[in-house]
Each structure stands twice: as C-alpha cells, then as structure tokens.
Amino acid sequence: MSGSFDILLVGIGGQGIILASNILGEACLAEGRSVRGAETHGMAQRGGSVEGHIRIDGRFGPLVPPGAARLMIAFDLLEALRYSHFLAPDGRIVSSSSLVVPTSASMQGAAVPDREAIVRRLSAWPLCLVEADRLAAEAGSPLSQNVVMIGAASWFMPLKPESLAGAVKRLVPPKTVAINMKAFELGRAAGERCRGEARGT
C-alpha cells in the first residue's frame, strides 16, 4: 500500500479533464501536500478516452493502479463504467449524469448499455450523479462542467474547498473566473446533496 489518497478523473476529449487534474494538483501544492500525477490521452481531439491520475501523499509512482482509487470523478457515465475496475472496494464515484455514445460504437453498431444499466452496475460503490451540463449552463458557460465536477467532488477528497477554489481562480482564463466560481459553488451544492443522501438526511 502506498498510503496515498488516489483520485482518477475520466472522460472524453474536450471535457476539460486535464485542467481539472491541474486544479487538484495546484490545490495540493497550496496546502503543502505531496502530489504525483499523470495523464493519458490518445485521440482526445476526436472524443477519445482521457484519464487524469492524482495521488495525494503517495510514495510511489504517478499512475493509480487498478483497485486503488478512493475517488473517481467521471465526466461521462460510460467512461465511469469503463474505468470502474480502478476503484478501491471503499471507493466512491462522482459522475456527470450525461452519457456520450462513442463514435466508434455508433459507426460499428455496437451495443452500448443504457443509462439505467450503467447506474445499476456502478451502484456497487457510493454514486453521486451530477447534472453537470445543466449546472454549467446555469453558471454561464457549458465549458465550466469540469469545475462543476470539482466542486461536487470537493466533499469527498482530503483537500480544503478554499484551496480548490483558489486553484480554480489561478488556472482558468481571467475573464471566466466569475463563471467558474459560480460553477464551483453550484457543484458544491450538488455534492452536498449527495453527502446528505448518503447520511440519510
């Protein structure tokens, strides 16, 4: 065991996963935490799969091994299912409720599980579904879905919300700071509801 708190971010190209990973890394540095991270992405510009690995206070390499992620932040339900084997038994998922059918699957007529089937399979772990697209639009830009997801997941990681908010302010384009801070707070509210449901309140 590495003793790290491992976070895996997954989605498809164009969803801002790399920026979201950088926000987590920046927040770690602001708190003086040790952090290792990596990203893997192939044909990201064509909607390919993208992963961001963040290991907080770990001693070993930057890649989260299968079965070790304490938290998965998924920007797409299908990608959450694809990478669910990375979750630890006591892991948790914070996922966007949206589902994008891969171009390769639609072109080949491949069977894709529907939303209900995916949610049923992911329910082996505590699952927080976030309407990231709607909340980002409410914040002022659909491009802020990644910050909505960071806000929602902020309840379930060992980082202070003010550290995450500060990292958002430093890393997003200056003219979008207000939109992204609203996106962060809307995400925080969505994540708090999930936390309340888990506690039965």
Side-chain angles (χ1 to χ4, degrees), residues 6 11 13-14 29 38 52 59 93 112-113 132 137-138 146-148 157 168 170 177 194 197:
D6 295 339
L29 295 176
R59 294 174 47 209
I93 306 169
V112 175
E138 185 178 336
N146 54 352
V147 176
V148 169
M157 64 178 81
V168 170
R170 287 190 292 277
V177 167
C194 289
E197 289 168 4

Side-chain angles (χ1 to χ4, degrees), residues 43-142:
M43 300 294 285
Q45 295 89 344
R46 294 175 182 261
S49 190
V50 178
E51 309 163 35
H53 298 244
I54 294 291
R55 311 192 76 187
I56 302 172
D57 296 337
R59 294 174 47 209
F60 301 114
L63 292 175
V64 176
R70 301 281 300 281
L71 173 64
M72 174 192 287
I73 305 173
F75 294 68
D76 178 88
L77 267 175
L78 201 54
E79 294 302 305
L81 181 59
R82 184 202 303 262
Y83 288 98
S84 57
H85 64 287
F86 274 88
L87 279 161
D90 63 345
R92 173 183 294 276
I93 306 169
V94 177
S95 177
S96 169
S97 58
S98 68
L99 190 161
V100 178
V101 176
T103 304
S104 57
S106 58
M107 289 181 67
Q108 297 170 18
V112 175
D114 61 24
R115 186 183 313 274
E116 289 71 25
I118 295 172
V119 169
R120 197 162 47 245
R121 290 178 62 178
L122 294 178
S123 295
W125 295 273
L127 174 63
C128 176
L129 288 177
V130 180
E131 292 181 276
D133 50 355
R134 181 181 65 78
L135 295 176
E138 185 178 336
S141 171

Side-chain angles (χ1 to χ4, degrees), residues 13 15 17-18 25 68 77 89 91 103 106 126 131-132 139 143 149 172 177 181 190-191 196:
Q15 292 183 316
I17 295 168
I18 304 305
L77 267 175
T103 304
S106 58
E131 292 181 276
L143 298 177
M149 294 303 299
V172 301
V177 167
M181 292 314 299

